[in-house]
Amino acid sequence: MSSAASVLERCAVLGRVSEEPDRLVRRYATPAMREAYELVGGWMRDAGLAVREDAAGNLIGRRDGPGKTLLLGSHLDTVVDAGRYDGPLGVLAALAVLERLWDRALPYAVEVVGFADEEGVRYGTSFLGSSALAGRFAPAWLALEDADGVAMADALRSFGGDPEAIATAARRREDLLAYCEVHIEQGPVLERRGAPVGVVTTITGQTHAELCFIGEAGHAGTVPMNARRDALAAAAEWMLAAESVARRRQGTVATVGRIEVEPGARNVIPGEARMTLDVRHTSNAVRREAIADLRAEAQRIAAAREVELDWDARGETAAVPTSPDLTDLLADAVAAATGHIAERLPSGAGHDSVSMATVADIAMLFVRCERGISHNPAEAVAETDVAVALDVLERFLGELR
Ligand SMILES: [Zn+2]
């Protein structure tokens, strides 16, 4: 079997390791995650790696070497009703390349990391596993409880981790050569450009907000149209304005993912419309300008319709650039493997690379996925694309110093 076929086969085997019989869900520190570790840890051992788990529950397979350590990997947890490639592909591709390089001396050590939690489904945290390696694990997280009231500290302890020793999972920048992650694109760009893989330039920054238009509820039959203060109509006008604001600025994405209307009845004029806003761009300045415009539009519409506006900023994360040198090296490897100039693209989704960037130079290789679908059991990659990704990663490791 080719190594690409073997990677896909392993993704399929791992994709059956779930907390539920009929869909894939594998959350942090669960028995399903333990079973996944038995599998992946076994494959790591078969490949000659020394396997351990750190205090936060990350799975790590090490190949010794001189000098600093190159970290490769991705996450082994999933969302609810997940596909089989988001996360595991990066871990298993890294492992497959080390299997290929078994006989070859490298001027550095390599560790393949399966992060214990990236999606944050169980505790609502983001990048939990990689935060521990980056020394940014928030101790307050240990007190968080899951839907069944199980505290993270207890879950981690029964998983075999050590909540008191989380700090020991942190790595030092001076020990790390780099962090490189292979991941499915989770978007349609590579498919549209007809490219099997692409190198990531930046992981986009995000702003989250919750806003509410507050009008006045009233009888749907008796209040004339010109006497209404309809909160949902204001929200609808603003959502279309938000779409225009984002379209005017190249590369901006703005999404209203949830809207709740009160009182929410057929025969009542909406008194309140509350919604979420998610805005992303590779440039922090452009993203902030877009937010300012979106807010000004909301204020203009609220004033014109005589409704109140409540705008609640829910925080932002800055854009994270990948290392230019490592990305050029990865792009050279793509050109050598495919005979074409590497496609460069930003990542609209967050990844473990975001937290790893605080402790190491980072690079990311995206693999084309069918119709850009992810977080869905329909997630699919082509074996030929995975083969290209493995070639690229192998060349990258060969050139890295
Ligand atoms: Zn992922």
Side-chain angles (χ1 to χ4, degrees), residues 74-75 86-87 118-119 181 183 186 350-352 375:
S74 194
H75 57 99
D86 176 358
E118 188 263 0
E119 305 285 5
E181 178 167 0
H183 202 284
Q186 301 183 271
H351 293 289
D352 290 307
H375 287 189

Side-chain angles (χ1 to χ4, degrees), residues 36-364:
Y37 276 24
E38 299 301 328
L39 268 173
V40 178
W43 294 328
M44 286 175 166
R45 269 182 216 97
D46 292 346
L49 304 185
V51 179
R52 68 182 181 93
E53 287 172 35
D54 70 16
N58 296 302
L59 179 68
I60 300 167
R62 179 177 173 90
R63 169 187 150 135
D64 268 327
K68 296 184 179 186
T69 300
L70 169 68
L71 298 179
L72 301 172
S74 194
H75 57 99
L76 290 172
D77 68 314
T78 73
V79 293
V80 177
D81 203 13
R84 56 173 74 151
Y85 303 109
D86 176 358
L89 179 67
V91 180
L92 299 174
L95 184 56
V97 168
L98 286 190
E99 286 170 347
R100 283 199 203 175
L101 292 171
W102 172 248
D103 289 330
R104 179 155 169 193
L106 294 171
Y108 47 82
V110 187
E111 292 183 18
V112 178
V113 186
F115 291 112
D117 183 311
E118 188 263 0
E119 305 285 5
V121 174
R122 189 167 181 186
Y123 290 104
T125 51
S126 37
F127 314 134
L128 185 155
S130 49
S131 293
L133 267 79
R136 295 162 69 90
F137 186 101
W141 286 349
L142 290 166
L144 293 173
E145 292 183 357
D146 70 5
D148 299 319
V150 180
M152 186 192 291
D154 296 331
L156 178 56
R157 222 172 271 122
S158 44
F159 188 69
D162 185 351
E164 278 74 40
I166 293 279
T168 62
R171 309 300 291 263
R172 298 187 309 172
R173 181 173 274 276
E174 55 267 35
D175 297 334
L176 299 179
L177 184 58
Y179 172 73
C180 180
E181 178 167 0
V182 175
H183 202 284
I184 57 167
E185 183 201 339
Q186 301 183 271
V189 174
L190 292 173
E191 194 170 71
R192 284 184 184 171
R193 295 186 192 168
V197 297
V199 297
V200 175
T201 52
T202 311
I203 299 163
T204 61
Q206 309 183 9
T207 299
H208 301 161
E210 232 178 84
L211 61 157
C212 189
F213 287 102
I214 303 151
E216 190 170 40
H219 196 292
T222 61
V223 182
M225 293 309 286
N226 61 7
R228 293 182 179 203
R229 295 167 58 222
D230 185 327
L232 181 57
E237 186 180 347
W238 176 77
M239 282 166 61
L240 292 177
E243 201 176 39
S244 311
V245 165
R247 284 183 175 162
R248 273 203 303 275
R249 281 195 179 72
Q250 170 109 42
T252 308
V253 286
T255 306
V256 174
R258 196 180 75 228
I259 182 160
E260 285 158 15
V261 179
E262 294 291 339
R266 174 188 57 81
N267 56 358
V268 183
I269 298 161
E272 268 190 37
R274 179 176 297 280
M275 64 211 122
T276 58
L277 173 65
D278 176 311
V279 177
R280 306 184 189 204
H281 196 278
T282 52
S283 153
N284 295 323
V286 173
R287 173 171 48 83
R288 289 184 188 126
E289 280 166 28
I291 287 289
D293 280 5
L294 289 166
R295 195 165 177 167
E297 280 294 302
Q299 282 159 344
R300 182 186 63 76
I301 290 163
R305 289 177 169 271
E306 294 179 16
V307 299
E308 279 173 51
L309 170 68
D310 180 18
W311 182 289
D312 185 6
R314 289 296 176 95
E316 60 170 3
T317 57
V320 175
T322 55
S323 150
D325 290 349
L326 290 174
T327 301
D328 284 348
L329 198 63
L330 204 51
D332 290 347
V334 170
T338 63
H340 297 285
I341 292 171
E343 294 292 337
R344 291 174 184 257
L345 71 168
S347 171
H351 293 289
D352 290 307
S353 299
V354 171
S355 47
M356 293 309 292
T358 63
V359 77
D361 291 342
I362 60 162
M364 280 196 86

